[in-house]
C-alpha cells in the first residue's frame, strides 16, 4: 500500500481556516451606514434675449406691364442699447463767501451860511479918509467915484479849519455927473472874492482908493410902523 503525501490536504485545511477567519472578521467588524448619493444637478438652460423686430413696411404694388410684386424684406434686428449714465464726480464745495460789506457813505459837508449884507471898509489914500458901510447883496453902493456891487456873501461852516467871511464883489469906477450933464459910463476895475481874514489875498488895486471886506451879516427885519 502506497502513502500519498498529505501536502495538498494540509493546504486545503489552511485555506479553509483562512476563509473562515476572514468571514468571521468581516461579520464582527463595525458597519458604517451607507452615505446617500446626491443626484447631479442639471445646468439651467440659457435663454437668449428676444430681440424686437419691427413689422415689415408694406409697399404699394407696382402697376403696369412687366411689373413684379415687391416682397417685403424683414428689417434688420435692432439691439436694445440702453445708454449708461455715468455719475459726475462730486465737486468740492467752495467756502462760503463773506457777505459784501457796503462802503460807508461819506458824510456830506455842511453848507456855508449865506448872508444878505456885506460890511466893507474903504480908504482914500490921498486924504487918508476911511469909511465903513453896508452893501446889501445885489444892490449897488457908491463910495465917491467907486460903485460896489456885492453878488454873494457867506460865512465858513463849523467843520472848516478857520472861520472866515467871504464876499464876491464887483467894483466899477464912474465919476459923478456934473449938474445938467449925463454921467459918463462906468468901467469895471475889480471882480473877485474878498476874504475878511486875508485882505491882501485878492485886494483891490487902485491908485487912489482901497477897499476890503470886514464881515457878512444878515439884515435885521424892518420894525413895524407905530400905530396912532
Amino acid at each position: 500500500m502506497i502513502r500519498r503525501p498529505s501536502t495538498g490536504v494540509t493546504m486545503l485545511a489552511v485555506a479553509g481556516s483562512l476563509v473562515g477567519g476572514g468571514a468571521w472578521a468581516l461579520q464582527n467588524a463595525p458597519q458604517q451606514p451607507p452615505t446617500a448619493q446626491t443626484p447631479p444637478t442639471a445646468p439651467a438652460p440659457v435663454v437668449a434675449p428676444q430681440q424686437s423686430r419691427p413689422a415689415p413696411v408694406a409697399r404699394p404694388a407696382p402697376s403696369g406691364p412687366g411689373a413684379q410684386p415687391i416682397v417685403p424684406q424683414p428689417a434688420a434686428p435692432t439691439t436694445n442699447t440702453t445708454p449708461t449714465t455715468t455719475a459726475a464726480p462730486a465737486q468740492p464745495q467752495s467756502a462760503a463767501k463773506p457777505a459784501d460789506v457796503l462802503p460807508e457813505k461819506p458824510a456830506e459837508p455842511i453848507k456855508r451860511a449865506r448872508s444878505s449884507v456885506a460890511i466893507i471898509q474903504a480908504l482914500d489914500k490921498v486924504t487918508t479918509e476911511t469909511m465903513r458901510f453896508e452893501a446889501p447883496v445885489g444892490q449897488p453902493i457908491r463910495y465917491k467915484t467907486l460903485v460896489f456891487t456885492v453878488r454873494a456873501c457867506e460865512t465858513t461852516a463849523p467843520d472848516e479849519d478857520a472861520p472866515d467871511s467871504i464876499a464876491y464883489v464887483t467894483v466899477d469906477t464912474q465919476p459923478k455927473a456934473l449938474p445938467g450933464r449925463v454921467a459918463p459910463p462906468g468901467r469895471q476895475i475889480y471882480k473877485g472874492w474878498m476874504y475878511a481874514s486875508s485882505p491882501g489875498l485878492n485886494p483891490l488895486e487902485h491908485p487912489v482908493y482901497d477897499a476890503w471886506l470886514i464881515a457878512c451879516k444878515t439884515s435885521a427885519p424892518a420894525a413895524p410902523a407905530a400905530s396912532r
Side-chain angles (χ1 to χ4, degrees):
M1 191 172 176
I2 301 171
R3 290 184 178 181
R4 296 179 179 181
S6 59
T7 304
V9 177
T10 304
M11 292 178 65
L12 290 175
V14 171
S17 63
L18 291 174
V19 171
W24 180 84
L26 291 175
Q27 184 177 3
N28 293 333
Q31 298 181 2
Q32 297 179 356
T35 58
Q37 296 181 0
T38 58
T41 305
V46 178
V47 180
Q50 296 181 1
Q51 299 178 352
S52 59
R53 297 181 179 179
V57 180
R59 299 181 180 179
S63 60
Q68 297 180 1
I70 297 175
V71 180
Q73 299 293 332
T78 58
T79 58
N80 186 12
T81 59
T82 303
T84 58
T85 58
T86 58
Q91 298 180 357
Q93 296 181 357
S94 58
K97 296 182 178 180
D100 296 336
V101 180
L102 297 177
E104 296 182 359
K105 185 178 179 181
E108 296 182 358
I110 302 175
K111 294 183 179 181
R112 291 180 174 180
R114 290 292 183 96
S115 302
S116 57
V117 177
I119 302 176
I120 299 176
Q121 185 165 341
L123 170 65
D124 188 341
K125 299 179 183 178
V126 177
T127 63
T128 66
E129 178 187 1
T130 60
M131 181 179 181
R132 182 175 295 186
F133 57 91
E134 294 184 0
V137 175
Q139 181 179 347
I141 300 296
R142 175 178 288 273
Y143 171 72
K144 296 186 177 183
T145 60
L146 301 182
V147 178
F148 293 83
T149 305
V150 179
R151 303 298 180 181
C153 193
E154 57 188 28
T155 306
T156 53
D159 58 346
E160 296 188 43
D161 296 337
D164 198 358
S165 295
I166 309 168
Y168 189 82
V169 184
T170 60
V171 181
D172 298 337
T173 177
Q174 185 180 15
K176 292 182 180 181
L178 298 175
R181 294 185 181 183
V182 180
R187 179 174 57 89
Q188 188 177 87
I189 61 173
Y190 179 85
K191 179 177 68 174
W193 290 93
M194 289 185 177
Y195 299 86
S197 61
S198 303
L201 184 60
N202 191 19
L204 169 65
E205 296 180 358
H206 192 272
V208 179
Y209 304 107
D210 195 2
W212 58 92
L213 176 68
I214 299 299
C216 295
K217 77 168 190 176
T218 303
S219 61
S227 60
R228 294 182 181 180

